Each structure stands twice: as structure tokens, then as C-alpha cells.
Amino acid sequence: MENFTAYNPTRLHFGKNVVKDLGKVARQYGKRVLLIYGQGSAKKYGYYAEVISSLKNAGLEISEYGGIRPNPVIADVEKAAILGKRKKTELIIALGGGSVIDSAKITALCIASDKKAWDFMQWKVEPETSIPLITVLTLAATGTEMNGAAVIQNPDTGQKTAFVDELNFPRHSFLDPQYTVSVPADYTAYGIVDLIVHALEAFFGRGDSSITDRIVFSIIKDAMHWGPRLLKDLHNYELRANIMLDATLALNGLTDYGKQGGDWGMHAIGHQLSFLFDTPHGASLSIVCPAWLKLQKDRIPDRIISLGKGLFDCNSVDDTIGQVEKAFSILKSPLSLKDINLGQKEKAEIINQMNANRLSGMHHLLNNEDRIRLVEFML
Ligand code: NZQ
Ligand code: ZN
């Protein structure tokens, strides 16, 4: 087992109607709130109205920045930060999925300093302070509601990249599974794939921790058990609640105990598909993950078999990879570039993008030749 430090300061409020306490909780951090949200779902399904009502009842002054897009871009963060500074914002409330929350995390850093948003993302400057962030999650997937990561893309530099810092942890996150019943089947599936791959990234990280492996298996098994049922019954509260909790637990630090962090090679590769083709994050991962396993099958067969035993009661590398593919196909998430209408024509572009950013895992390093093989496996 590796030495490790565990830290998670986010207070989670989970369950039916928790948002009614949002205003009261937010009020202790200040009066002037910047509410950040996405491209319309929060208003369409009534979550925005409930949030506004809770904030107004607590006497808060609200400014708004709406329109954050999936696979969020740095320009929105910069604009939100300008607005936040002008309004002397004391705290941020992010209402949405990972894209909104990640954008809000970097906006909070920018409002508290004169540093540039993209400099944080490039790890060029270290944040010294932030303003408090409270999240109201509407999509179960990323775990951002209880972690210190933010993932943003910049069309000017050709990157989609992650920045991780303790200051990015939300102070509070409100998770009402009822807020996720409107997520359509495809994004529900992508969210389930995402949480499974988070657990896998941890599993393939450096270090051995038996209990942590078992935690990983439990999270993945729970998601594989409830996920397909949820896709047939999208309005079922209990199913939504199970998947929502799985997603939070898959990336809130729990799966790193006794390890030196996860590998994150699959995510690094997946982000390039999202950058180039606006592929939804989870959809990119169900394509990359089997390809990554195929690349690694002769390098780390024992580790892959141990995954197969833990998850599927199978004893071979090929069976394990087949079962992972089957789990994603049951969710109807794409398994190949062909499934998202890409192919030979885009192959060179994808490889160039990956090589330009020298993408690799943290533990299982990838070189140019590996990236070519990965893309071939993805075709
Ligand atoms: O923009 P709106 O209209 O709100 O629509 C969104 C968006 O189109 C919609 N949606 C969200 N909640 C909904 C809903 N539709 C109906 N009902 C609801 N309740 O869903 C679409 C996708 O939203 P998005 O926020 O992009 O999805 P997700 O939560 O999967 O976040 C993906 C982003 O998070 C990053 C990804 O790379 C990607 O950019 N990640 C962040 C991580 C982190 N911070 O820890 C880790 C992850 O590995 C991931 O990289
Ligand atoms: Zn992810």
C-alpha cells in the first residue's frame, strides 16, 4: 500500500427536496451570489425556478451567467468572472452538470484574483484563494460535485485539459435525484459509463490496496446492476438515487486510498475526441476504454484478469475486455469511432491531436506508437 493523504471538505446534501435549504446555507457565505447554469435544461425542467426561490427567500442578491455549453470553453469562464467581479460577487452557485460546475470552479478562482483563467488550467499559476462555491447537481456522472477537478477546453490552444486543486472543492453540494429524472437516456448512459471509467482509472493507478480494489468493484457492480434498469425507467427515483451516489463515490477520493492516484490515460485520450468532434464525455470513454485495455493486455495481463475476477467472475484478459464492452453496449453507449460516424478519414487528425498534446497516463505511459495503436483499436 502507498502512503496517502485523504482530504474532502465538501458537505453533501443528498435526497428529495434538499434544495429548499440552499438559500439558508448560501447566506452564511455572503449576500451577492453569481448563479451559473447551462443552455436551458435547468429552466425547462423547473430546477432554476426552485433555486431562485430558495435564494430569494433567504434575501440573496442574484446575478446570473447562463449558457455554459457541454465540453465547456474557457471564454465562458472569463466572461462569467468579469461579471462576477463587476457585481462584487461573494459566492457562486453552479446549477447543472459537470460542464457548469467545472466552469464555476475556475470562475471562483478568477473572481478572487487577477490571474487569467487559462493560466490556472495550464498549471502556470497557483491559486492562492477562491470564493466559495456551492453546487446543485443535475446530472450524475463526473463526481465534480465532491472533488477538486475542473476540465475545460480552449479552442485557441487546441486543448481540453484538467486542473486539480484543493481550492476547487465545492463548500456544499446539493444532490436531489429528482433533478436528474429529466436527463435523456443517452446522457444518462454516458454518465454511467463515466463513473465506471473513473473507478477503472483508479484501479489502474499506481499502488496496491486491497480494500480500495473492493470499493472499486462495488461501485462498478452497483452501476452495472442499476444502470440498465434505470435506462428502462428514467423517472424512477430510487434508480436515479443509486446512480447519483455511485457517481459521487467514484471520484471523490475514496477510490484513491492507498494508491498514488489514478492512471487517467483513458480520460486524456477521450478528451481529444471531445475536443475535436464535441463527443459527449461518457461516449468518448466507452470508445477509448476497450481500446486502452486491448493496448495494455500483454503489458498488465494479471491486473486485467484481477479486474475480470472482481467484476465478472471471469479468468481471462479477453473475456474481461469482452465483458467491459458488453456492459457499455447494454447501456447503448458507442464502442467504436464508427458508432459515432468517424473512421479512417479522421484517423490522422485524431493521432495528430493526441501527439500534439503528448497524451499519456500517469502510471501507464503512452508513446506515439501506442497512440496510433489506440486509434486503430477504436476504429
Ligand atoms: O446545458 P443544459 O441545457 O443544462 O444541458 C445539459 C447538456 O446538454 C444536459 N443536462 C444537464 N442536466 C440535465 C440535462 N438535461 C436534462 N435534464 C437535466 N437534469 O446534459 C448535457 C451534458 O451536460 P454536461 O454538464 O456537459 O455533462 P456532464 O455532467 O457529463 O459533464 C461533462 C463535463 O465534465 C468533465 C467532462 O470532461 C465534460 O467536460 N469532467 C469533469 C470531471 C471533474 N471535474 O471531476 C471529471 C470527468 O472525468 C470529466 O472529465
Ligand atoms: Zn470522466
Side-chain angles (χ1 to χ4, degrees), residues 215-228:
I215 291 170
V216 161
F217 297 151
S218 295
I219 292 171
I220 298 177
K221 281 181 169 177
D222 210 58
M224 290 192 311
H225 180 76
W226 298 118

Side-chain angles (χ1 to χ4, degrees), residues 96 111 131 296 312 373:
I111 290 175
I131 64 166
Q296 303 296 350
F312 310 111
R373 288 185 64 205

Side-chain angles (χ1 to χ4, degrees), residues 39-41 98-99 102 138 144 147 149 160 179 182 198 267 271 281:
Q39 297 197 314
S41 70
S99 296
D102 288 1
T138 66
T144 186
N147 71 37
K160 175 170 182 175
Y179 277 39
S182 53
H198 291 161
H267 270 68
H271 288 337
H281 176 59

